[in-house]
PDB file of all heavy atoms in Angstrom:
ATOM      1  N   GLY A   1      -4.360   3.350   0.607  1.00 92.00           N
ATOM      2  CA  GLY A   1      -5.096   3.296  -0.652  1.00 92.00           C
ATOM      3  C   GLY A   1      -4.312   2.652  -1.774  1.00 92.00           C
ATOM      4  O   GLY A   1      -3.311   1.960  -1.547  1.00 92.00           O
ATOM      5  N   VAL A   2      -4.761   2.882  -2.999  1.00 92.00           N
ATOM      6  CA  VAL A   2      -4.178   2.258  -4.196  1.00 92.00           C
ATOM      7  C   VAL A   2      -3.305   3.267  -4.939  1.00 92.00           C
ATOM      8  O   VAL A   2      -3.693   4.425  -5.127  1.00 92.00           O
ATOM      9  CB  VAL A   2      -5.292   1.736  -5.138  1.00 92.00           C
ATOM     10  CG1 VAL A   2      -4.693   1.191  -6.431  1.00 92.00           C
ATOM     11  CG2 VAL A   2      -6.111   0.661  -4.429  1.00 92.00           C
ATOM     12  N   TYR A   3      -2.122   2.808  -5.354  1.00 94.00           N
ATOM     13  CA  TYR A   3      -1.179   3.633  -6.107  1.00 94.00           C
ATOM     14  C   TYR A   3      -0.870   2.931  -7.436  1.00 94.00           C
ATOM     15  O   TYR A   3      -0.931   1.704  -7.533  1.00 94.00           O
ATOM     16  CB  TYR A   3       0.111   3.853  -5.310  1.00 94.00           C
ATOM     17  CG  TYR A   3      -0.090   4.703  -4.080  1.00 94.00           C
ATOM     18  CD1 TYR A   3      -0.652   4.157  -2.914  1.00 94.00           C
ATOM     19  CD2 TYR A   3       0.249   6.050  -4.067  1.00 94.00           C
ATOM     20  CE1 TYR A   3      -0.863   4.932  -1.781  1.00 94.00           C
ATOM     21  CE2 TYR A   3       0.042   6.840  -2.939  1.00 94.00           C
ATOM     22  CZ  TYR A   3      -0.518   6.273  -1.808  1.00 94.00           C
ATOM     23  OH  TYR A   3      -0.734   7.050  -0.693  1.00 94.00           O
ATOM     24  N   TRP A   4      -0.538   3.739  -8.440  1.00 92.00           N
ATOM     25  CA  TRP A   4      -0.237   3.204  -9.764  1.00 92.00           C
ATOM     26  C   TRP A   4       1.105   3.736 -10.247  1.00 92.00           C
ATOM     27  O   TRP A   4       1.441   4.901 -10.012  1.00 92.00           O
ATOM     28  CB  TRP A   4      -1.311   3.627 -10.782  1.00 92.00           C
ATOM     29  CG  TRP A   4      -2.677   3.115 -10.476  1.00 92.00           C
ATOM     30  CD1 TRP A   4      -3.574   3.643  -9.595  1.00 92.00           C
ATOM     31  CD2 TRP A   4      -3.309   1.960 -11.041  1.00 92.00           C
ATOM     32  NE1 TRP A   4      -4.732   2.896  -9.585  1.00 92.00           N
ATOM     33  CE2 TRP A   4      -4.602   1.863 -10.460  1.00 92.00           C
ATOM     34  CE3 TRP A   4      -2.919   1.011 -11.990  1.00 92.00           C
ATOM     35  CZ2 TRP A   4      -5.499   0.856 -10.793  1.00 92.00           C
ATOM     36  CZ3 TRP A   4      -3.808   0.008 -12.321  1.00 92.00           C
ATOM     37  CH2 TRP A   4      -5.076  -0.073 -11.726  1.00 92.00           C
ATOM     38  N   CYS A   5       1.864   2.883 -10.932  1.00 92.00           N
ATOM     39  CA  CYS A   5       3.055   3.361 -11.640  1.00 92.00           C
ATOM     40  C   CYS A   5       2.799   3.130 -13.131  1.00 92.00           C
ATOM     41  O   CYS A   5       2.255   2.101 -13.523  1.00 92.00           O
ATOM     42  CB  CYS A   5       4.310   2.622 -11.188  1.00 92.00           C
ATOM     43  SG  CYS A   5       4.280   0.844 -11.451  1.00 92.00           S
ATOM     44  N   GLU A   6       3.167   4.108 -13.923  1.00 91.00           N
ATOM     45  CA  GLU A   6       2.928   4.027 -15.362  1.00 91.00           C
ATOM     46  C   GLU A   6       4.258   4.161 -16.104  1.00 91.00           C
ATOM     47  O   GLU A   6       5.000   5.121 -15.911  1.00 91.00           O
ATOM     48  CB  GLU A   6       1.981   5.136 -15.798  1.00 91.00           C
ATOM     49  CG  GLU A   6       1.652   5.114 -17.293  1.00 91.00           C
ATOM     50  CD  GLU A   6       0.750   6.269 -17.679  1.00 91.00           C
ATOM     51  OE1 GLU A   6       1.260   7.390 -17.852  1.00 91.00           O
ATOM     52  OE2 GLU A   6      -0.467   6.045 -17.782  1.00 91.00           O
ATOM     53  N   ALA A   7       4.541   3.167 -16.947  1.00 90.00           N
ATOM     54  CA  ALA A   7       5.747   3.193 -17.768  1.00 90.00           C
ATOM     55  C   ALA A   7       5.355   3.597 -19.191  1.00 90.00           C
ATOM     56  O   ALA A   7       4.432   3.027 -19.770  1.00 90.00           O
ATOM     57  CB  ALA A   7       6.412   1.818 -17.779  1.00 90.00           C
ATOM     58  N   ALA A   8       6.057   4.600 -19.730  1.00 89.00           N
ATOM     59  CA  ALA A   8       5.782   5.063 -21.096  1.00 89.00           C
ATOM     60  C   ALA A   8       6.815   4.472 -22.051  1.00 89.00           C
ATOM     61  O   ALA A   8       8.021   4.574 -21.814  1.00 89.00           O
ATOM     62  CB  ALA A   8       5.832   6.585 -21.146  1.00 89.00           C
ATOM     63  N   PHE A   9       6.328   3.824 -23.127  1.00 86.00           N
ATOM     64  CA  PHE A   9       7.185   3.247 -24.163  1.00 86.00           C
ATOM     65  C   PHE A   9       6.889   3.952 -25.486  1.00 86.00           C
ATOM     66  O   PHE A   9       5.912   4.701 -25.595  1.00 86.00           O
ATOM     67  CB  PHE A   9       6.913   1.741 -24.303  1.00 86.00           C
ATOM     68  CG  PHE A   9       7.125   0.966 -23.040  1.00 86.00           C
ATOM     69  CD1 PHE A   9       6.058   0.702 -22.193  1.00 86.00           C
ATOM     70  CD2 PHE A   9       8.379   0.493 -22.693  1.00 86.00           C
ATOM     71  CE1 PHE A   9       6.239  -0.011 -21.018  1.00 86.00           C
ATOM     72  CE2 PHE A   9       8.574  -0.225 -21.523  1.00 86.00           C
ATOM     73  CZ  PHE A   9       7.500  -0.473 -20.685  1.00 86.00           C
ATOM     74  N   GLU A  10       7.708   3.695 -26.471  1.00 81.00           N
ATOM     75  CA  GLU A  10       7.492   4.316 -27.785  1.00 81.00           C
ATOM     76  C   GLU A  10       6.143   3.918 -28.382  1.00 81.00           C
ATOM     77  O   GLU A  10       5.500   4.704 -29.072  1.00 81.00           O
ATOM     78  CB  GLU A  10       8.626   3.924 -28.743  1.00 81.00           C
ATOM     79  CG  GLU A  10       9.954   4.583 -28.409  1.00 81.00           C
ATOM     80  CD  GLU A  10      11.024   4.235 -29.416  1.00 81.00           C
ATOM     81  OE1 GLU A  10      10.676   3.630 -30.447  1.00 81.00           O
ATOM     82  OE2 GLU A  10      12.197   4.573 -29.175  1.00 81.00           O
ATOM     83  N   LEU A  11       5.699   2.678 -28.092  1.00 73.00           N
ATOM     84  CA  LEU A  11       4.462   2.178 -28.695  1.00 73.00           C
ATOM     85  C   LEU A  11       3.245   2.314 -27.783  1.00 73.00           C
ATOM     86  O   LEU A  11       2.150   1.890 -28.147  1.00 73.00           O
ATOM     87  CB  LEU A  11       4.641   0.708 -29.097  1.00 73.00           C
ATOM     88  CG  LEU A  11       5.701   0.440 -30.164  1.00 73.00           C
ATOM     89  CD1 LEU A  11       5.810  -1.052 -30.441  1.00 73.00           C
ATOM     90  CD2 LEU A  11       5.369   1.183 -31.458  1.00 73.00           C
ATOM     91  N   GLY A  12       3.429   2.878 -26.588  1.00 79.00           N
ATOM     92  CA  GLY A  12       2.285   3.014 -25.704  1.00 79.00           C
ATOM     93  C   GLY A  12       2.691   3.043 -24.241  1.00 79.00           C
ATOM     94  O   GLY A  12       3.861   3.253 -23.902  1.00 79.00           O
ATOM     95  N   LYS A  13       1.711   2.813 -23.360  1.00 83.00           N
ATOM     96  CA  LYS A  13       1.946   2.887 -21.921  1.00 83.00           C
ATOM     97  C   LYS A  13       1.468   1.608 -21.235  1.00 83.00           C
ATOM     98  O   LYS A  13       0.577   0.920 -21.723  1.00 83.00           O
ATOM     99  CB  LYS A  13       1.222   4.104 -21.333  1.00 83.00           C
ATOM    100  CG  LYS A  13       1.742   5.440 -21.859  1.00 83.00           C
ATOM    101  CD  LYS A  13       0.960   6.592 -21.272  1.00 83.00           C
ATOM    102  CE  LYS A  13       1.497   7.927 -21.776  1.00 83.00           C
ATOM    103  NZ  LYS A  13       0.732   9.077 -21.216  1.00 83.00           N
ATOM    104  N   SER A  14       2.080   1.333 -20.066  1.00 82.00           N
ATOM    105  CA  SER A  14       1.687   0.161 -19.284  1.00 82.00           C
ATOM    106  C   SER A  14       1.648   0.557 -17.815  1.00 82.00           C
ATOM    107  O   SER A  14       2.522   1.292 -17.339  1.00 82.00           O
ATOM    108  CB  SER A  14       2.688  -0.982 -19.496  1.00 82.00           C
ATOM    109  OG  SER A  14       2.336  -2.094 -18.709  1.00 82.00           O
ATOM    110  N   LYS A  15       0.597   0.075 -17.082  1.00 83.00           N
ATOM    111  CA  LYS A  15       0.433   0.461 -15.686  1.00 83.00           C
ATOM    112  C   LYS A  15       0.523  -0.744 -14.755  1.00 83.00           C
ATOM    113  O   LYS A  15       0.140  -1.853 -15.111  1.00 83.00           O
ATOM    114  CB  LYS A  15      -0.927   1.144 -15.470  1.00 83.00           C
ATOM    115  CG  LYS A  15      -0.959   2.603 -15.873  1.00 83.00           C
ATOM    116  CD  LYS A  15      -2.276   3.234 -15.453  1.00 83.00           C
ATOM    117  CE  LYS A  15      -2.293   4.717 -15.778  1.00 83.00           C
ATOM    118  NZ  LYS A  15      -3.562   5.349 -15.358  1.00 83.00           N
ATOM    119  N   GLY A  16       1.028  -0.482 -13.542  1.00 83.00           N
ATOM    120  CA  GLY A  16       1.051  -1.487 -12.483  1.00 83.00           C
ATOM    121  C   GLY A  16       0.379  -0.925 -11.246  1.00 83.00           C
ATOM    122  O   GLY A  16       0.465   0.281 -10.980  1.00 83.00           O
ATOM    123  N   LYS A  17      -0.334  -1.779 -10.481  1.00 84.00           N
ATOM    124  CA  LYS A  17      -1.094  -1.326  -9.308  1.00 84.00           C
ATOM    125  C   LYS A  17      -0.461  -1.853  -8.026  1.00 84.00           C
ATOM    126  O   LYS A  17      -0.068  -3.007  -7.950  1.00 84.00           O
ATOM    127  CB  LYS A  17      -2.544  -1.804  -9.413  1.00 84.00           C
ATOM    128  CG  LYS A  17      -3.434  -1.290  -8.284  1.00 84.00           C
ATOM    129  CD  LYS A  17      -4.895  -1.628  -8.527  1.00 84.00           C
ATOM    130  CE  LYS A  17      -5.186  -3.089  -8.259  1.00 84.00           C
ATOM    131  NZ  LYS A  17      -6.636  -3.384  -8.245  1.00 84.00           N
ATOM    132  N   LEU A  18      -0.368  -0.988  -7.011  1.00 89.00           N
ATOM    133  CA  LEU A  18       0.123  -1.381  -5.697  1.00 89.00           C
ATOM    134  C   LEU A  18      -0.833  -0.847  -4.643  1.00 89.00           C
ATOM    135  O   LEU A  18      -1.364   0.258  -4.779  1.00 89.00           O
ATOM    136  CB  LEU A  18       1.525  -0.819  -5.432  1.00 89.00           C
ATOM    137  CG  LEU A  18       2.634  -1.221  -6.402  1.00 89.00           C
ATOM    138  CD1 LEU A  18       2.825  -0.134  -7.448  1.00 89.00           C
ATOM    139  CD2 LEU A  18       3.935  -1.454  -5.674  1.00 89.00           C
ATOM    140  N   GLN A  19      -1.056  -1.643  -3.601  1.00 90.00           N
ATOM    141  CA  GLN A  19      -1.959  -1.216  -2.534  1.00 90.00           C
ATOM    142  C   GLN A  19      -1.164  -0.999  -1.255  1.00 90.00           C
ATOM    143  O   GLN A  19      -0.345  -1.833  -0.861  1.00 90.00           O
ATOM    144  CB  GLN A  19      -3.051  -2.258  -2.298  1.00 90.00           C
ATOM    145  CG  GLN A  19      -4.070  -1.804  -1.265  1.00 90.00           C
ATOM    146  CD  GLN A  19      -5.250  -2.762  -1.150  1.00 90.00           C
ATOM    147  OE1 GLN A  19      -5.228  -3.839  -1.725  1.00 90.00           O
ATOM    148  NE2 GLN A  19      -6.263  -2.364  -0.413  1.00 90.00           N
ATOM    149  N   LEU A  20      -1.403   0.129  -0.607  1.00 93.00           N
ATOM    150  CA  LEU A  20      -0.731   0.462   0.647  1.00 93.00           C
ATOM    151  C   LEU A  20      -1.746   0.450   1.779  1.00 93.00           C
ATOM    152  O   LEU A  20      -2.791   1.084   1.692  1.00 93.00           O
ATOM    153  CB  LEU A  20      -0.078   1.851   0.538  1.00 93.00           C
ATOM    154  CG  LEU A  20       0.550   2.409   1.819  1.00 93.00           C
ATOM    155  CD1 LEU A  20       1.716   1.549   2.274  1.00 93.00           C
ATOM    156  CD2 LEU A  20       0.994   3.852   1.619  1.00 93.00           C
ATOM    157  N   LYS A  21      -1.420  -0.287   2.845  1.00 92.00           N
ATOM    158  CA  LYS A  21      -2.271  -0.311   4.043  1.00 92.00           C
ATOM    159  C   LYS A  21      -1.497   0.349   5.175  1.00 92.00           C
ATOM    160  O   LYS A  21      -0.400  -0.092   5.514  1.00 92.00           O
ATOM    161  CB  LYS A  21      -2.654  -1.741   4.414  1.00 92.00           C
ATOM    162  CG  LYS A  21      -3.786  -2.303   3.578  1.00 92.00           C
ATOM    163  CD  LYS A  21      -4.328  -3.581   4.195  1.00 92.00           C
ATOM    164  CE  LYS A  21      -5.610  -4.031   3.510  1.00 92.00           C
ATOM    165  NZ  LYS A  21      -6.717  -3.084   3.731  1.00 92.00           N
ATOM    166  N   VAL A  22      -2.072   1.402   5.732  1.00 92.00           N
ATOM    167  CA  VAL A  22      -1.443   2.119   6.843  1.00 92.00           C
ATOM    168  C   VAL A  22      -2.198   1.777   8.124  1.00 92.00           C
ATOM    169  O   VAL A  22      -3.386   2.069   8.248  1.00 92.00           O
ATOM    170  CB  VAL A  22      -1.452   3.647   6.602  1.00 92.00           C
ATOM    171  CG1 VAL A  22      -0.772   4.366   7.766  1.00 92.00           C
ATOM    172  CG2 VAL A  22      -0.751   3.975   5.289  1.00 92.00           C
ATOM    173  N   LEU A  23      -1.491   1.158   9.073  1.00 90.00           N
ATOM    174  CA  LEU A  23      -2.113   0.719  10.318  1.00 90.00           C
ATOM    175  C   LEU A  23      -1.778   1.676  11.458  1.00 90.00           C
ATOM    176  O   LEU A  23      -0.717   2.303  11.466  1.00 90.00           O
ATOM    177  CB  LEU A  23      -1.628  -0.691  10.680  1.00 90.00           C
ATOM    178  CG  LEU A  23      -1.849  -1.788   9.635  1.00 90.00           C
ATOM    179  CD1 LEU A  23      -1.301  -3.114  10.143  1.00 90.00           C
ATOM    180  CD2 LEU A  23      -3.320  -1.935   9.294  1.00 90.00           C
ATOM    181  N   SER A  24      -2.685   1.744  12.411  1.00 84.00           N
ATOM    182  CA  SER A  24      -2.449   2.546  13.605  1.00 84.00           C
ATOM    183  C   SER A  24      -1.407   1.855  14.480  1.00 84.00           C
ATOM    184  O   SER A  24      -1.290   0.626  14.487  1.00 84.00           O
ATOM    185  CB  SER A  24      -3.759   2.710  14.384  1.00 84.00           C
ATOM    186  OG  SER A  24      -3.491   3.196  15.684  1.00 84.00           O
ATOM    187  N   LEU A  25      -0.649   2.647  15.245  1.00 73.00           N
ATOM    188  CA  LEU A  25       0.356   2.072  16.154  1.00 73.00           C
ATOM    189  C   LEU A  25      -0.293   1.221  17.240  1.00 73.00           C
ATOM    190  O   LEU A  25       0.368   0.406  17.872  1.00 73.00           O
ATOM    191  CB  LEU A  25       1.178   3.193  16.800  1.00 73.00           C
ATOM    192  CG  LEU A  25       2.185   3.888  15.873  1.00 73.00           C
ATOM    193  CD1 LEU A  25       2.774   5.104  16.563  1.00 73.00           C
ATOM    194  CD2 LEU A  25       3.279   2.922  15.476  1.00 73.00           C
ATOM    195  N   MET A  26      -1.600   1.413  17.437  1.00 65.00           N
ATOM    196  CA  MET A  26      -2.296   0.619  18.457  1.00 65.00           C
ATOM    197  C   MET A  26      -2.443  -0.833  18.033  1.00 65.00           C
ATOM    198  O   MET A  26      -2.612  -1.718  18.877  1.00 65.00           O
ATOM    199  CB  MET A  26      -3.685   1.213  18.706  1.00 65.00           C
ATOM    200  CG  MET A  26      -3.673   2.554  19.419  1.00 65.00           C
ATOM    201  SD  MET A  26      -2.887   2.441  21.042  1.00 65.00           S
ATOM    202  CE  MET A  26      -4.071   1.404  21.900  1.00 65.00           C
ATOM    203  N   VAL A  27      -2.378  -1.123  16.729  1.00 59.00           N
ATOM    204  CA  VAL A  27      -2.588  -2.493  16.247  1.00 59.00           C
ATOM    205  C   VAL A  27      -1.568  -3.465  16.832  1.00 59.00           C
ATOM    206  O   VAL A  27      -1.936  -4.491  17.406  1.00 59.00           O
ATOM    207  CB  VAL A  27      -2.577  -2.538  14.700  1.00 59.00           C
ATOM    208  CG1 VAL A  27      -2.619  -3.976  14.204  1.00 59.00           C
ATOM    209  CG2 VAL A  27      -3.762  -1.759  14.149  1.00 59.00           C
ATOM    210  N   PRO A  28      -0.236  -3.197  16.729  1.00 61.00           N
ATOM    211  CA  PRO A  28       0.712  -4.147  17.317  1.00 61.00           C
ATOM    212  C   PRO A  28       0.685  -4.154  18.844  1.00 61.00           C
ATOM    213  O   PRO A  28       1.151  -5.103  19.473  1.00 61.00           O
ATOM    214  CB  PRO A  28       2.080  -3.663  16.800  1.00 61.00           C
ATOM    215  CG  PRO A  28       1.884  -2.233  16.463  1.00 61.00           C
ATOM    216  CD  PRO A  28       0.462  -2.114  16.016  1.00 61.00           C
ATOM    217  N   LEU A  29       0.116  -3.075  19.466  1.00 59.00           N
ATOM    218  CA  LEU A  29       0.070  -3.012  20.930  1.00 59.00           C
ATOM    219  C   LEU A  29      -1.111  -3.776  21.514  1.00 59.00           C
ATOM    220  O   LEU A  29      -1.119  -4.086  22.708  1.00 59.00           O
ATOM    221  CB  LEU A  29      -0.012  -1.547  21.374  1.00 59.00           C
ATOM    222  CG  LEU A  29       1.261  -0.706  21.214  1.00 59.00           C
ATOM    223  CD1 LEU A  29       0.982   0.732  21.591  1.00 59.00           C
ATOM    224  CD2 LEU A  29       2.396  -1.270  22.050  1.00 59.00           C
ATOM    225  N   LYS A  30      -2.112  -4.090  20.684  1.00 62.00           N
ATOM    226  CA  LYS A  30      -3.328  -4.737  21.195  1.00 62.00           C
ATOM    227  C   LYS A  30      -3.051  -6.054  21.921  1.00 62.00           C
ATOM    228  O   LYS A  30      -3.583  -6.280  23.019  1.00 62.00           O
ATOM    229  CB  LYS A  30      -4.322  -4.947  20.053  1.00 62.00           C
ATOM    230  CG  LYS A  30      -5.095  -3.674  19.693  1.00 62.00           C
ATOM    231  CD  LYS A  30      -6.099  -3.924  18.588  1.00 62.00           C
ATOM    232  CE  LYS A  30      -6.851  -2.641  18.238  1.00 62.00           C
ATOM    233  NZ  LYS A  30      -7.812  -2.840  17.133  1.00 62.00           N
ATOM    234  N   PRO A  31      -2.237  -6.981  21.355  1.00 66.00           N
ATOM    235  CA  PRO A  31      -1.963  -8.223  22.088  1.00 66.00           C
ATOM    236  C   PRO A  31      -1.290  -7.955  23.438  1.00 66.00           C
ATOM    237  O   PRO A  31      -1.610  -8.595  24.441  1.00 66.00           O
ATOM    238  CB  PRO A  31      -1.034  -8.997  21.150  1.00 66.00           C
ATOM    239  CG  PRO A  31      -1.289  -8.425  19.800  1.00 66.00           C
ATOM    240  CD  PRO A  31      -1.600  -6.990  20.036  1.00 66.00           C
ATOM    241  N   PHE A  32      -0.350  -6.980  23.440  1.00 61.00           N
ATOM    242  CA  PHE A  32       0.340  -6.634  24.680  1.00 61.00           C
ATOM    243  C   PHE A  32      -0.636  -6.078  25.711  1.00 61.00           C
ATOM    244  O   PHE A  32      -0.605  -6.446  26.890  1.00 61.00           O
ATOM    245  CB  PHE A  32       1.449  -5.617  24.388  1.00 61.00           C
ATOM    246  CG  PHE A  32       2.109  -5.059  25.615  1.00 61.00           C
ATOM    247  CD1 PHE A  32       2.993  -5.823  26.357  1.00 61.00           C
ATOM    248  CD2 PHE A  32       1.818  -3.755  26.038  1.00 61.00           C
ATOM    249  CE1 PHE A  32       3.594  -5.296  27.498  1.00 61.00           C
ATOM    250  CE2 PHE A  32       2.419  -3.234  27.167  1.00 61.00           C
ATOM    251  CZ  PHE A  32       3.310  -4.001  27.910  1.00 61.00           C
ATOM    252  N   LEU A  33      -1.531  -5.174  25.262  1.00 59.00           N
ATOM    253  CA  LEU A  33      -2.503  -4.584  26.175  1.00 59.00           C
ATOM    254  C   LEU A  33      -3.471  -5.624  26.723  1.00 59.00           C
ATOM    255  O   LEU A  33      -3.900  -5.547  27.880  1.00 59.00           O
ATOM    256  CB  LEU A  33      -3.280  -3.474  25.455  1.00 59.00           C
ATOM    257  CG  LEU A  33      -2.458  -2.234  25.049  1.00 59.00           C
ATOM    258  CD1 LEU A  33      -3.314  -1.277  24.242  1.00 59.00           C
ATOM    259  CD2 LEU A  33      -1.902  -1.535  26.287  1.00 59.00           C
ATOM    260  N   ALA A  34      -3.802  -6.615  25.895  1.00 65.00           N
ATOM    261  CA  ALA A  34      -4.697  -7.682  26.341  1.00 65.00           C
ATOM    262  C   ALA A  34      -4.036  -8.493  27.461  1.00 65.00           C
ATOM    263  O   ALA A  34      -4.685  -8.854  28.457  1.00 65.00           O
ATOM    264  CB  ALA A  34      -5.049  -8.585  25.173  1.00 65.00           C
ATOM    265  N   ILE A  35      -2.729  -8.766  27.301  1.00 74.00           N
ATOM    266  CA  ILE A  35      -1.994  -9.513  28.333  1.00 74.00           C
ATOM    267  C   ILE A  35      -1.931  -8.700  29.624  1.00 74.00           C
ATOM    268  O   ILE A  35      -2.123  -9.232  30.728  1.00 74.00           O
ATOM    269  CB  ILE A  35      -0.579  -9.878  27.835  1.00 74.00           C
ATOM    270  CG1 ILE A  35      -0.684 -10.870  26.669  1.00 74.00           C
ATOM    271  CG2 ILE A  35       0.265 -10.455  28.953  1.00 74.00           C
ATOM    272  CD1 ILE A  35       0.635 -11.124  25.975  1.00 74.00           C
TER     273      ILE A  35
END
């Protein structure tokens, strides 16, 4: 999902967005299993 970091300054706040994708262990095995 989406995560946010927020920096607090004397004059206000600022946010940054990061997205995390979590894949199943089967994903890297699929090409091997196909072979």
Side-chain angles (χ1 to χ4, degrees):
V2 175
Y3 292 78
W4 298 81
C5 60
E6 181 182 80
F9 302 95
E10 289 183 9
L11 297 178
K13 296 178 179 180
S14 178
K15 280 188 177 181
K17 184 172 75 169
L18 301 97
Q19 184 173 9
L20 174 64
K21 280 193 170 294
V22 181
L23 303 179
S24 166
L25 287 171
M26 290 300 293
V27 173
L29 288 176
K30 281 182 180 178
F32 173 74
L33 294 175
I35 294 171

